[in-house]
Amino acid sequence: MTELRNLVPSGLVRIGGAAAIAGVVAFATLISGCPDPDPMTADAFRTPDAYITPDAFMAPPSDAYTPPDVFTPPDAYVMPGTDANFPDAFVVPDAFVPPDAYVRVCPPVAARPTVTVRGTINADTTWTCDNTYVIEASGDQGPLYVINDSTLTIEAGTVIRGAVRDGTRSCVMSPAITCTSDTPCSMAVAGDRCGAPRQQGTALVVTRGSELVAEGTAEAPIVFTSNNVGSSATPPRAGDWGGLVLLGDAPTNWVPADGAQIEGLPTDEGRGTYGGSDAAGSCGSLSYVRVEYAGYIIGRNNELNGITVGGCGAGTLFDHVQVHLGLDDGIEFFGGSANARYVVVTGTGDDSLDFDLGWTGHVQFFIAQQRDVAGEERCIEGDNHPTNYGLMPYSRPTLYDFTCVGSGTPGTDPQDSIALRRGGQFTFRNGILWNSPDRGFFVQDSADSSGVMTSMDTVAWLRGRAGGAPGTVFVD
């Protein structure tokens, strides 16, 4: 599909001008006279009648200087290069047209020095592709927080790594049991899986009022990854670090409106709140960004994702973004009205796209490929509110032009293409649901919701398991 963007032609400015020609003619008159007499002799004095009258002046000789006629300018100024008498005249060239953009050449990743960042960023800061940035913990605090209405700008081609604090992991539902991967810890315990490192993991958290401007290019994307990338002893894996967290002041349906606490951070962390009344607000922009090996889990229903978005307004834009091999959701929107387009989520451990608490944003051109893991993982999962399904604003996103590819392998919990629950609403257009192990479209809690479906058109469920629980909706 082709997207037409604002196309602005380069301007050509022709510089020309007329030269002013001025002529000045100077005329000089020569006056001849007699030499003065010697003042020391008496006969040098002349009587008045000895003066020569003016008639006695001699006429000037015939070869004397004669001034030319008055200067007559040409009829009109002749532009250089247009007159045959001046074939080599200088022609003013077209104005300089600059290239579309300056192309920044980043050094090879292996040659870049490492810059360690931790704690807080409390002033406008720029990260360049001359360095590799490693987010490390500061004491007991794992995440790096951007605070004080600051903007963190990241240059195209920059690589940011999240440090892994402790390789020891425990099962989510059985903390005493250690594990070495994100595979199920106990098939007998629903939802149990290998969680994040026991210490508080690293993450990049952009707090309310601050912004993250990470705008890469197709040739030089910005990559957020695990600090274990390149290690043969401890290779990277899902959940090595916490990913990106963006928090804003846009409306949610949480009560109080400005007091929601983002999942995945300690409940007493004051910098983890989000929500407000600025529906048009901005948490920044992400363009040509990849986030991988992110999403650690604190406990059931309390985890960070590849990208966690809380209360970000319509001024926030995700454009050409990929989340790869996350432990939990790929992208989760908690309220707000942030928008996204050209989004790819691959190999996530839970839902590729999750939303709740009144999210009303738009997504276009979305592709998700689910990983073969056990658990209740879906391509898209949407809720309105966990306990009060009728709270407003309703979760009511709009999704156009999307493809969901399931793992094809049944797990211990349902693995649907789309599940809508707890009063969530939507508009879906032009979608393909393929290879889900369970249901193509599943609606839950419909009896308690305030109008579950808003609109769905041209959505095809191509392959999946037949049948399903009551409330299942199949689009064939």
Side-chain angles (χ1 to χ4, degrees), residues 79-338:
M79 285 291 291
T82 62
D83 192 295
N85 294 323
F86 302 95
D88 297 325
F90 174 73
V91 178
V92 179
D94 293 337
F96 171 71
V97 180
D100 292 339
Y102 170 72
V103 178
R104 172 78 154 93
V105 178
C106 299
V109 175
R112 303 177 192 180
T114 297
V115 176
T116 299
V117 287
R118 59 169 63 92
T120 59
I121 294 175
N122 57 13
D124 291 349
T125 301
T126 298
W127 291 353
T128 71
C129 68
D130 298 309
N131 306 306
T132 294
Y133 298 85
V134 177
I135 301 174
E136 291 192 349
S138 177
D140 293 334
Q141 173 187 305
L144 170 68
Y145 289 87
V146 182
I147 64 172
N148 199 32
D149 296 344
S150 304
T151 297
L152 173 59
T153 302
I154 303 179
E155 189 179 58
T158 305
V159 176
I160 302 94
R161 294 170 173 252
V164 182
R165 297 191 65 191
D166 188 340
T168 304
R169 300 168 179 250
S170 60
C171 296
V172 174
M173 305 304 294
S174 308
I177 301 175
T178 59
C179 54
T180 58
S181 69
D182 57 354
T183 55
C185 292
S186 173
M187 298 296 290
V189 179
D192 205 6
R193 62 183 124 176
C194 194
R198 288 180 173 177
Q199 292 180 322
Q200 187 181 0
T202 58
L204 177 60
V205 180
V206 181
T207 62
R208 285 193 294 191
S210 297
E211 290 188 83
L212 172 62
V213 179
E215 298 180 351
T217 66
E219 296 76 20
I222 297 170
V223 179
F224 293 86
T225 188
S226 165
N227 200 33
N228 284 346
V229 167
S231 171
S232 58
T234 55
R237 56 190 175 185
D240 273 351
W241 69 298
L244 306 183
V245 182
L246 305 180
L247 306 176
D249 293 312
T252 73
N253 59 26
W254 190 262
V255 179
D258 60 350
Q261 179 73 23
I262 199 66
E263 292 181 0
L265 297 181
T267 56
D268 59 350
E269 176 55 76
R271 293 170 294 186
T273 58
Y274 64 96
S277 59
D278 187 6
S282 172
C283 295
S285 60
L286 274 64
S287 181
Y288 290 99
V289 169
R290 184 172 79 247
V291 181
E292 57 189 18
Y293 306 114
Y296 60 77
I297 299 175
I298 295 179
R300 188 172 179 84
N301 296 323
N302 189 15
E303 60 277 318
L304 287 180
N305 309 285
I307 302 176
T308 303
V309 188
C312 291
T316 309
L317 180 62
F318 301 96
D319 188 320
H320 292 87
V321 173
Q322 180 183 11
V323 178
H324 181 60
L325 286 178
L327 183 59
D328 198 63
D329 297 333
I331 304 177
E332 183 164 7
F333 293 94
F334 295 90
S337 49

Side-chain angles (χ1 to χ4, degrees), residues 386-414:
T387 58
N388 189 339
Y389 305 154
L391 283 180
M392 298 179 68
Y394 293 120
S395 292
R396 188 180 292 170
T398 300
L399 185 62
Y400 271 66
D401 307 313
F402 60 95
T403 300
C404 293
V405 180
S407 68
T409 304
T412 56
D413 294 308

